[in-house]
């Protein structure tokens, strides 16, 4: 449940597959390539069927990923019901930003 991606283009959504019914966690590590300035929308998630999953952040503030070339951001998500993910949503936290 750890995902590591180097951004070579923009990411406009993440799609989740095979969620455990009773909940869980996962972490995404996003690293800008040598070009940088890639965009990843860390608050846009869908089920495997394409249904939107709400994402909640502390204070309601959605983070913006670091755009510096070769920098890394880490985000973790918790969900309490995979069976009801579209109504209960994901809870996101920033693990750290602008690692270089």
């Amino acid at each position: 449940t750890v995902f590591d991606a180097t951004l070579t283009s923009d990411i406009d959504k993440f799609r989740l597959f095979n969620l455990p019914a009773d909940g869980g966690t996962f972490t995404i590590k996003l690293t800008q390539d040598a070009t940088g300035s890639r965009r990843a929308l860390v608050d846009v998630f869908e089920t495997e069927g394409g249904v939107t999953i709400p994402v909640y952040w502390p204070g309601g503030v959605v983070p913006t990923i670091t755009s510096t070339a070769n920098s890394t951001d880490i985000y973790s998500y918790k969900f309490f019901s995979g069976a009801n993910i579209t109504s209960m949503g994901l809870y996101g936290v920033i693990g750290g930003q602008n690692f270089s």
Side-chain angles (χ1 to χ4, degrees):
T1 58
V2 175
F3 303 94
D4 186 351
T6 298
L7 302 175
T8 58
S9 62
D10 294 342
I11 297 174
D12 61 0
K13 67 183 168 192
F14 293 91
R15 187 167 276 181
L16 302 182
F17 293 83
N18 301 318
L19 294 172
D22 60 348
T25 62
F26 61 93
T27 299
I28 299 173
K29 176 184 169 198
L30 300 172
T31 302
Q32 293 281 353
D33 65 7
T35 301
S37 297
R38 310 294 186 184
R39 179 179 57 97
L41 301 179
V42 296
D43 65 326
V44 180
F45 282 80
E46 294 180 349
T47 66
E48 58 189 284
V51 179
T52 299
I53 301 169
V55 182
Y56 305 103
W57 295 95
V61 178
V62 178
T64 301
I65 71 164
T66 305
S67 62
T68 307
N70 301 308
S71 65
T72 298
D73 289 359
I74 299 171
Y75 304 95
S76 293
Y77 300 85
K78 174 76 176 167
F79 59 100
F80 295 93
S81 174
N84 298 302
I85 193 81
T86 58
S87 60
M88 295 184 69
L90 296 169
Y91 292 83
V93 294
I94 299 169
Q97 290 185 300
N98 200 22
F99 292 99
S100 54

